[in-house]
PDB file of all heavy atoms in Angstrom:
ATOM      1  N   ASP A1164      10.999  -0.471   6.740  1.00 96.00           N
ATOM      2  CA  ASP A1164       9.712   0.125   7.098  1.00 96.00           C
ATOM      3  C   ASP A1164       8.653  -0.200   6.051  1.00 96.00           C
ATOM      4  O   ASP A1164       8.963  -0.376   4.869  1.00 96.00           O
ATOM      5  CB  ASP A1164       9.850   1.648   7.213  1.00 96.00           C
ATOM      6  CG  ASP A1164      10.933   2.045   8.199  1.00 96.00           C
ATOM      7  OD1 ASP A1164      11.015   1.397   9.259  1.00 96.00           O
ATOM      8  OD2 ASP A1164      11.694   2.990   7.893  1.00 96.00           O
ATOM      9  N   LYS A1165       7.419  -0.233   6.487  1.00 94.00           N
ATOM     10  CA  LYS A1165       6.299  -0.524   5.582  1.00 94.00           C
ATOM     11  C   LYS A1165       6.092   0.641   4.620  1.00 94.00           C
ATOM     12  O   LYS A1165       6.008   1.799   5.045  1.00 94.00           O
ATOM     13  CB  LYS A1165       5.036  -0.761   6.416  1.00 94.00           C
ATOM     14  CG  LYS A1165       3.843  -1.259   5.632  1.00 94.00           C
ATOM     15  CD  LYS A1165       2.697  -1.587   6.584  1.00 94.00           C
ATOM     16  CE  LYS A1165       1.503  -2.182   5.847  1.00 94.00           C
ATOM     17  NZ  LYS A1165       0.398  -2.489   6.788  1.00 94.00           N
ATOM     18  N   LEU A1166       6.003   0.321   3.338  1.00 93.00           N
ATOM     19  CA  LEU A1166       5.813   1.364   2.324  1.00 93.00           C
ATOM     20  C   LEU A1166       4.338   1.639   2.059  1.00 93.00           C
ATOM     21  O   LEU A1166       3.926   2.778   1.892  1.00 93.00           O
ATOM     22  CB  LEU A1166       6.492   0.944   1.016  1.00 93.00           C
ATOM     23  CG  LEU A1166       7.980   1.250   0.883  1.00 93.00           C
ATOM     24  CD1 LEU A1166       8.806   0.370   1.793  1.00 93.00           C
ATOM     25  CD2 LEU A1166       8.453   1.072  -0.559  1.00 93.00           C
ATOM     26  N   HIS A1167       3.535   0.568   1.990  1.00 89.00           N
ATOM     27  CA  HIS A1167       2.103   0.722   1.689  1.00 89.00           C
ATOM     28  C   HIS A1167       1.318   0.720   3.003  1.00 89.00           C
ATOM     29  O   HIS A1167       1.077  -0.333   3.590  1.00 89.00           O
ATOM     30  CB  HIS A1167       1.611  -0.426   0.811  1.00 89.00           C
ATOM     31  CG  HIS A1167       1.999  -0.301  -0.616  1.00 89.00           C
ATOM     32  ND1 HIS A1167       1.333   0.505  -1.519  1.00 89.00           N
ATOM     33  CD2 HIS A1167       3.002  -0.865  -1.310  1.00 89.00           C
ATOM     34  CE1 HIS A1167       1.902   0.420  -2.702  1.00 89.00           C
ATOM     35  NE2 HIS A1167       2.919  -0.410  -2.604  1.00 89.00           N
ATOM     36  N   LEU A1168       0.938   1.874   3.470  1.00 87.00           N
ATOM     37  CA  LEU A1168       0.176   1.965   4.712  1.00 87.00           C
ATOM     38  C   LEU A1168      -1.314   1.802   4.433  1.00 87.00           C
ATOM     39  O   LEU A1168      -1.799   2.135   3.341  1.00 87.00           O
ATOM     40  CB  LEU A1168       0.437   3.312   5.392  1.00 87.00           C
ATOM     41  CG  LEU A1168       1.896   3.589   5.775  1.00 87.00           C
ATOM     42  CD1 LEU A1168       2.019   4.979   6.388  1.00 87.00           C
ATOM     43  CD2 LEU A1168       2.421   2.541   6.732  1.00 87.00           C
ATOM     44  N   VAL A1169      -2.041   1.308   5.441  1.00 81.00           N
ATOM     45  CA  VAL A1169      -3.472   1.071   5.293  1.00 81.00           C
ATOM     46  C   VAL A1169      -4.231   2.373   5.590  1.00 81.00           C
ATOM     47  O   VAL A1169      -4.156   2.873   6.725  1.00 81.00           O
ATOM     48  CB  VAL A1169      -3.948  -0.031   6.252  1.00 81.00           C
ATOM     49  CG1 VAL A1169      -5.446  -0.256   6.111  1.00 81.00           C
ATOM     50  CG2 VAL A1169      -3.174  -1.317   6.010  1.00 81.00           C
ATOM     51  N   PRO A1170      -4.934   2.941   4.601  1.00 77.00           N
ATOM     52  CA  PRO A1170      -5.692   4.176   4.862  1.00 77.00           C
ATOM     53  C   PRO A1170      -6.717   3.964   5.969  1.00 77.00           C
ATOM     54  O   PRO A1170      -7.397   2.943   6.014  1.00 77.00           O
ATOM     55  CB  PRO A1170      -6.382   4.455   3.516  1.00 77.00           C
ATOM     56  CG  PRO A1170      -5.607   3.675   2.506  1.00 77.00           C
ATOM     57  CD  PRO A1170      -5.074   2.475   3.213  1.00 77.00           C
ATOM     58  N   PHE A1171      -6.797   4.920   6.874  1.00 71.00           N
ATOM     59  CA  PHE A1171      -7.717   4.917   8.011  1.00 71.00           C
ATOM     60  C   PHE A1171      -7.371   3.832   9.043  1.00 71.00           C
ATOM     61  O   PHE A1171      -7.985   3.800  10.099  1.00 71.00           O
ATOM     62  CB  PHE A1171      -9.185   4.767   7.572  1.00 71.00           C
ATOM     63  CG  PHE A1171      -9.636   5.861   6.671  1.00 71.00           C
ATOM     64  CD1 PHE A1171      -9.748   5.649   5.306  1.00 71.00           C
ATOM     65  CD2 PHE A1171      -9.936   7.125   7.163  1.00 71.00           C
ATOM     66  CE1 PHE A1171     -10.139   6.664   4.449  1.00 71.00           C
ATOM     67  CE2 PHE A1171     -10.322   8.151   6.317  1.00 71.00           C
ATOM     68  CZ  PHE A1171     -10.441   7.919   4.958  1.00 71.00           C
ATOM     69  N   GLY A1172      -6.420   2.942   8.733  1.00 71.00           N
ATOM     70  CA  GLY A1172      -5.964   1.979   9.717  1.00 71.00           C
ATOM     71  C   GLY A1172      -4.628   2.419  10.315  1.00 71.00           C
ATOM     72  O   GLY A1172      -4.440   2.391  11.519  1.00 71.00           O
ATOM     73  N   GLU A1173      -3.707   2.857   9.421  1.00 74.00           N
ATOM     74  CA  GLU A1173      -2.378   3.261   9.872  1.00 74.00           C
ATOM     75  C   GLU A1173      -2.116   4.747   9.655  1.00 74.00           C
ATOM     76  O   GLU A1173      -1.156   5.289  10.185  1.00 74.00           O
ATOM     77  CB  GLU A1173      -1.322   2.434   9.144  1.00 74.00           C
ATOM     78  CG  GLU A1173      -1.398   0.948   9.517  1.00 74.00           C
ATOM     79  CD  GLU A1173      -0.477   0.078   8.711  1.00 74.00           C
ATOM     80  OE1 GLU A1173      -0.396   0.283   7.477  1.00 74.00           O
ATOM     81  OE2 GLU A1173       0.153  -0.803   9.296  1.00 74.00           O
ATOM     82  N   TYR A1174      -2.929   5.371   8.843  1.00 69.00           N
ATOM     83  CA  TYR A1174      -2.838   6.827   8.685  1.00 69.00           C
ATOM     84  C   TYR A1174      -4.182   7.322   8.175  1.00 69.00           C
ATOM     85  O   TYR A1174      -5.011   6.541   7.688  1.00 69.00           O
ATOM     86  CB  TYR A1174      -1.708   7.208   7.707  1.00 69.00           C
ATOM     87  CG  TYR A1174      -2.052   7.022   6.246  1.00 69.00           C
ATOM     88  CD1 TYR A1174      -2.334   8.118   5.431  1.00 69.00           C
ATOM     89  CD2 TYR A1174      -2.117   5.753   5.680  1.00 69.00           C
ATOM     90  CE1 TYR A1174      -2.647   7.962   4.091  1.00 69.00           C
ATOM     91  CE2 TYR A1174      -2.432   5.589   4.351  1.00 69.00           C
ATOM     92  CZ  TYR A1174      -2.697   6.702   3.554  1.00 69.00           C
ATOM     93  OH  TYR A1174      -3.017   6.535   2.233  1.00 69.00           O
ATOM     94  N   VAL A1175      -4.388   8.614   8.317  1.00 67.00           N
ATOM     95  CA  VAL A1175      -5.631   9.222   7.845  1.00 67.00           C
ATOM     96  C   VAL A1175      -5.302  10.104   6.642  1.00 67.00           C
ATOM     97  O   VAL A1175      -4.554  11.074   6.771  1.00 67.00           O
ATOM     98  CB  VAL A1175      -6.293  10.072   8.942  1.00 67.00           C
ATOM     99  CG1 VAL A1175      -7.551  10.755   8.420  1.00 67.00           C
ATOM    100  CG2 VAL A1175      -6.617   9.209  10.152  1.00 67.00           C
ATOM    101  N   PRO A1176      -5.805   9.754   5.462  1.00 63.00           N
ATOM    102  CA  PRO A1176      -5.559  10.613   4.304  1.00 63.00           C
ATOM    103  C   PRO A1176      -6.180  12.001   4.529  1.00 63.00           C
ATOM    104  O   PRO A1176      -7.221  12.120   5.174  1.00 63.00           O
ATOM    105  CB  PRO A1176      -6.275   9.880   3.158  1.00 63.00           C
ATOM    106  CG  PRO A1176      -6.536   8.498   3.661  1.00 63.00           C
ATOM    107  CD  PRO A1176      -6.635   8.592   5.136  1.00 63.00           C
ATOM    108  N   PHE A1177      -5.525  13.011   4.003  1.00 61.00           N
ATOM    109  CA  PHE A1177      -6.018  14.390   4.161  1.00 61.00           C
ATOM    110  C   PHE A1177      -6.306  14.680   5.641  1.00 61.00           C
ATOM    111  O   PHE A1177      -7.373  15.161   6.010  1.00 61.00           O
ATOM    112  CB  PHE A1177      -7.270  14.619   3.314  1.00 61.00           C
ATOM    113  CG  PHE A1177      -7.142  14.139   1.900  1.00 61.00           C
ATOM    114  CD1 PHE A1177      -7.844  13.025   1.448  1.00 61.00           C
ATOM    115  CD2 PHE A1177      -6.290  14.789   1.008  1.00 61.00           C
ATOM    116  CE1 PHE A1177      -7.720  12.572   0.155  1.00 61.00           C
ATOM    117  CE2 PHE A1177      -6.160  14.338  -0.301  1.00 61.00           C
ATOM    118  CZ  PHE A1177      -6.877  13.235  -0.728  1.00 61.00           C
ATOM    119  N   GLN A1178      -5.347  14.357   6.481  1.00 62.00           N
ATOM    120  CA  GLN A1178      -5.588  14.437   7.915  1.00 62.00           C
ATOM    121  C   GLN A1178      -5.975  15.839   8.368  1.00 62.00           C
ATOM    122  O   GLN A1178      -6.806  15.991   9.272  1.00 62.00           O
ATOM    123  CB  GLN A1178      -4.342  13.975   8.678  1.00 62.00           C
ATOM    124  CG  GLN A1178      -4.602  13.845  10.178  1.00 62.00           C
ATOM    125  CD  GLN A1178      -3.356  13.531  10.957  1.00 62.00           C
ATOM    126  OE1 GLN A1178      -2.244  13.804  10.503  1.00 62.00           O
ATOM    127  NE2 GLN A1178      -3.514  12.948  12.126  1.00 62.00           N
ATOM    128  N   ALA A1179      -5.379  16.864   7.767  1.00 60.00           N
ATOM    129  CA  ALA A1179      -5.685  18.222   8.203  1.00 60.00           C
ATOM    130  C   ALA A1179      -7.175  18.509   8.062  1.00 60.00           C
ATOM    131  O   ALA A1179      -7.802  19.115   8.936  1.00 60.00           O
ATOM    132  CB  ALA A1179      -4.865  19.226   7.393  1.00 60.00           C
ATOM    133  N   LEU A1180      -7.758  18.038   6.940  1.00 59.00           N
ATOM    134  CA  LEU A1180      -9.184  18.287   6.697  1.00 59.00           C
ATOM    135  C   LEU A1180     -10.052  17.325   7.498  1.00 59.00           C
ATOM    136  O   LEU A1180     -10.952  17.744   8.243  1.00 59.00           O
ATOM    137  CB  LEU A1180      -9.476  18.140   5.200  1.00 59.00           C
ATOM    138  CG  LEU A1180     -10.967  18.164   4.803  1.00 59.00           C
ATOM    139  CD1 LEU A1180     -11.572  19.525   5.141  1.00 59.00           C
ATOM    140  CD2 LEU A1180     -11.130  17.858   3.318  1.00 59.00           C
ATOM    141  N   LEU A1181      -9.770  16.036   7.368  1.00 59.00           N
ATOM    142  CA  LEU A1181     -10.618  15.036   8.027  1.00 59.00           C
ATOM    143  C   LEU A1181     -10.486  15.069   9.544  1.00 59.00           C
ATOM    144  O   LEU A1181     -11.432  14.763  10.267  1.00 59.00           O
ATOM    145  CB  LEU A1181     -10.282  13.642   7.493  1.00 59.00           C
ATOM    146  CG  LEU A1181     -10.556  13.417   6.000  1.00 59.00           C
ATOM    147  CD1 LEU A1181     -10.191  11.998   5.585  1.00 59.00           C
ATOM    148  CD2 LEU A1181     -12.033  13.692   5.687  1.00 59.00           C
ATOM    149  N   GLY A1182      -9.293  15.461  10.017  1.00 59.00           N
ATOM    150  CA  GLY A1182      -9.113  15.545  11.464  1.00 59.00           C
ATOM    151  C   GLY A1182     -10.039  16.584  12.067  1.00 59.00           C
ATOM    152  O   GLY A1182     -10.576  16.403  13.167  1.00 59.00           O
TER     153      GLY A1182
END
Side-chain angles (χ1 to χ4, degrees):
D1164 304 319
K1165 188 175 184 180
L1166 275 71
H1167 283 280
L1168 300 178
V1169 179
F1171 300 103
E1173 294 174 317
Y1174 78 105
V1175 177
F1177 312 110
Q1178 188 186 23
L1180 171 64
L1181 297 180

